[in-house]
Amino acid sequence: MITLVHPWLLLLLPLPWLVWRFLPPHREEVTAIRAPFFRQLTEAAGTTPQAGATVLHRSRVQMIAALLVWTLIVIGLTQPQRLGDPIVIEKSARDVVLALDISGSMDQRDFIGENGQRMQRLDAVRDVLKTFIAERDGDRMALIVFGTRAFVQAPFTEDLQSLDGFLDQTQVGMAGPNTAIGDAIGLAIRMFDSSDVDERLIVLLSDGADTNSRVSPVNAAEIAADKGVVIQTIGVGDPEGAGEDRVDLAALQDIAARTGGAFFYADDSAALSQVYEQIDAMAPRIVEETSYRPTLSLVWMASLFAALLGVATLVALLVSRSRRQA
């Protein structure tokens, strides 16, 4: 599709005709030959002497070429351009941080997989989490792992497939044997400082009680609420365990409630899959779409054709004149 940026300039097309029709001819004083018997000649011819004028006659080729060149110049002034097909750009309108507990207790093999066999907690969580990530196309996501300390495993990215690789690199105990839920929430909040979207979500999964945070989970949750960050918490593991092996369901529920999120508990792979499905339904993907149409300027074509036509006409006139003189 070809459009004109300034179509109103097409009104200039009849300008040469208007100048020729309504403006007086251009006059110049030139040196002439004085004829002593000029009056006798005019009397003999029966005419009245007037100011001299030389009228240049243009050939049909010159007139057609001039009209075409003027038309091309005006078309160039209108800035013609070719519009390409619309290109739609989808931009994430929500940032999601996945906070994953990889403390020593995540090494226990008490999760029942889909095949009915026992499997490591982290392996079960990792398999379900990959499915959840794949279905969040359109969100920007980041991955935080925490144990004794919290670390950014993957910064915010829209390339969700790359998160699978970062998940595969996580190992139990690589962040320390203890559990620092409050620090993980605080680190996620700091990551949101560089975010320019309003929708911010933390999905936190833990199988133990906070034992090593410099900031308590409750205080971290209050800060998150003040900044408009929603936290969805998931508890896995044994709520009847002892020490750090006991998942603190009450604390996870309190964290979610303070930020307007929800708390879930899962003790096998099927239940964990349902939890992530519920989170996906509660926080559907939000995508901002912007579109534009690429443009290609065609001004150079009109200018080039006008120049070529002018040169071709000049060459043709010179050749014709040389032939007449020969």
Side-chain angles (χ1 to χ4, degrees), residues 174-188:
M174 63 184 293
N178 306 119
T179 305
I181 297 176
D183 290 352
I185 296 174
L187 179 58

Side-chain angles (χ1 to χ4, degrees), residues 57-63 65 309-325:
H57 295 282
R58 295 180 175 84
S59 66
R60 182 174 299 178
V61 173
Q62 288 177 294
M63 294 298 295
L309 182 59
V311 172
T313 303
L314 179 61
V315 170
L317 292 175
L318 292 175
V319 171
S320 177
R321 179 180 298 178
S322 63
R323 288 178 177 177
R324 288 197 304 268
Q325 293 176 352

Side-chain angles (χ1 to χ4, degrees), residues 146-208:
F146 64 95
T148 305
R149 293 287 184 267
F151 300 95
V152 177
Q153 182 75 350
F156 280 118
T157 179
E158 294 181 0
D159 181 13
L160 301 186
Q161 292 183 352
S162 66
L163 289 183
D164 290 349
F166 289 109
L167 276 173
D168 291 334
Q169 295 173 11
T170 59
Q171 300 296 329
V172 173
M174 63 184 293
N178 306 119
T179 305
I181 297 176
D183 290 352
I185 296 174
L187 179 58
I189 293 173
R190 288 197 296 272
M191 292 186 68
F192 285 126
D193 289 341
S194 61
S195 174
D196 57 357
V197 299
D198 296 329
E199 296 286 336
R200 304 173 181 183
L201 174 65
I202 299 175
V203 180
L204 184 145
L205 182 144
S206 178
D207 72 337

Side-chain angles (χ1 to χ4, degrees), residues 49 52 71 75 124 144 153 165 173 220 253 257 273-274 317:
T71 301
I75 292 175
I144 288 177
Q153 182 75 350
Q253 189 171 8
S273 296
Q274 293 179 2
L317 292 175

Side-chain angles (χ1 to χ4, degrees), residues 70-100:
W70 173 252
T71 301
L72 290 171
I73 291 175
V74 173
I75 292 175
L77 292 175
T78 62
Q79 296 187 21
Q81 59 185 14
R82 183 187 298 276
L83 293 180
D85 295 330
I87 297 177
V88 179
I89 299 177
E90 293 185 349
K91 180 183 178 182
S92 171
R94 175 188 286 121
D95 285 345
V96 181
V97 174
L98 303 175
L100 178 61

